[in-house]
Amino acid sequence: MFTGIIEERGTITRIERTSDAARLTVRGPIAVEGAKHGDSIAVSGVCLTVVDFDAEQFSADVMAQTLAMSTLDGAHEGLPVNLERAARVGDRIGGHIVQGHIDGTARVLEIRPGDAWRVIRFSLDPAHAPLVVDKGSIAVDGVSLTVSAVGDEPDGSWFEVSLIPETLQATTLGEREVGDAVNIETDILARQVERMLRFDAARTLPSSLIAPGPASVLPPVTEPATTGGHA
């Protein structure tokens, strides 16, 4: 589990590709401090497992599904990435609960700069739109953010976030341009509720919690695909 508070801006230093996977080597001295084989590190929001490391960098394998669903498919040497080590029990959760199970990608539609803030509007896949609400939480490239606005237009849904100077400087979001792709992870609580709505309440709740009377039948909800926690 992660919190979406980025600890370090790292850099991809090497990529070894096969037909259906890749091994990334990422420079991140803070991220590898105290690291052990098998530890989890989120790379721009994608939970990866450390398979090798030294004092400056670590390597992790990325499976085909993760490559297909994330921006890591287009990764290259020299690419900046956001890094966060897995949270420890007892840590403060400065952001929100982030699993590293991204839902997919979104694209930057608009950037509106201000004196101290920057508002970025992102596209929103129809399958993810019900999971994103105004003032709710979302992780963009692993960064815990509060949704400042949402919209549903004839040409597609979107959401906006407002970024403070610290976020612009400490993460890769300050370098995003219109058209860029980012990884997004919707709130786990929203995904749990969506899953529950797929079933008849009478079949999923304990009988002691069900009021007398006919069971209600809820409409089916489309479930978006997600990556696994480790790649």
Side-chain angles (χ1 to χ4, degrees):
M1 187 189 81
F2 307 91
T3 69
I5 303 301
I6 302 304
E7 296 183 285
E8 180 179 21
R9 281 172 48 120
T11 305
I12 294 179
T13 60
R14 185 178 182 183
I15 302 178
E16 303 169 72
R17 295 187 182 272
T18 64
S19 60
D20 62 352
R23 174 167 289 193
L24 301 183
T25 301
V26 183
R27 184 183 184 278
I30 295 176
V32 296
E33 183 179 346
K36 301 184 299 296
H37 184 88
D39 281 356
S40 297
I41 298 178
V43 178
S44 288
V46 182
C47 179
L48 299 181
T49 299
V50 174
V51 297
D52 194 15
F53 65 95
D54 59 28
E56 293 288 323
Q57 57 189 16
F58 67 94
S59 296
D61 293 322
V62 188
M63 62 183 179
Q65 182 188 14
T66 303
L67 291 172
M69 292 189 62
S70 73
T71 59
L72 294 183
D73 189 40
H76 55 82
E77 293 182 6
L79 180 71
V81 290
N82 298 319
L83 301 178
E84 181 190 356
R85 292 170 291 184
R88 295 175 295 187
V89 175
D91 280 354
R92 292 184 176 88
I93 302 179
H96 71 284
I97 295 175
V98 177
Q99 296 183 298
H101 304 185
I102 67 164
D103 292 293
T105 61
R107 290 202 174 270
V108 178
L109 299 178
E110 180 184 345
I111 298 175
R112 302 196 303 275
D115 292 338
W117 296 75
R118 186 177 302 173
V119 177
I120 303 183
R121 177 176 293 188
F122 297 95
S123 63
L124 192 54
D125 187 280
H128 306 147
L131 306 176
V132 181
V133 299
D134 188 23
K135 303 302 183 294
S137 296
I138 193 166
V140 178
D141 275 350
V143 184
S144 173
L145 298 170
T146 298
V147 177
S148 56
V150 293
D152 299 292
E153 310 292 345
D155 57 348
S157 298
W158 53 264
F159 72 95
E160 291 182 348
V161 295
S162 300
L163 306 180
I164 62 174
E166 172 65 17
T167 303
L168 294 171
Q169 181 177 2
T171 76
T172 60
L173 295 183
E175 302 170 1
R176 295 283 73 86
E177 298 179 350
V178 172
D180 285 352
V182 296
N183 298 317
I184 65 167
E185 179 186 331
T186 56
D187 187 7
I188 179 59
L189 296 179
R191 297 204 302 271
Q192 291 282 6
V193 170
E194 182 198 43
R195 177 67 174 171
M196 291 172 63
L197 290 175
R198 291 175 57 86
F199 296 93
D200 182 349
R203 290 188 292 113
T204 57
L205 293 177
S207 58
S208 60
L209 299 180
I210 300 175
S216 60
V217 178
L218 299 174
V221 179
T222 303
E223 180 179 3
T226 59
T227 67
H230 301 291

